Amino acid sequence: KYTQPVKGAGPQDEWLTGKMRYKQPTGDVSKELSAPFKGEVAKDLSDDFRFAAATASFGTLLRGSKHAGAMTYAGVLEEAQG
């Protein structure tokens, strides 16, 4: 699932996989649910989601995290404004 895309295979429509574990209150074994989210990321995101992502990116930049990647303060502002 998390392999390098094959060249020439076309665009990938899966942009996120949501996973959740749960256990019955009296159970001993947990179960995992997993579902891929598909669609065009730039087109399908709500304004609230974009703002939340910009807020998280801003915090990452403030902390000087190595996970900030190529994100910049200008990019955060652009994302927050939609």
Side-chain angles (χ1 to χ4, degrees), residues 11-53:
Q12 301 294 321
D13 64 348
E14 182 180 323
W15 59 276
L16 175 74
T17 299
K19 293 184 179 183
M20 179 182 82
R21 285 195 162 275
Y22 72 96
K23 181 177 75 150
Q24 297 295 334
T26 58
D28 293 328
V29 179
S30 66
K31 296 180 182 178
E32 180 180 299
L33 297 177
S34 176
F37 291 88
K38 299 183 178 205
E40 294 181 38
V41 176
K43 187 172 86 173
D44 293 342
L45 297 179
S46 69
D47 289 339
D48 289 339
F49 188 94
R50 288 180 189 276
F51 186 78

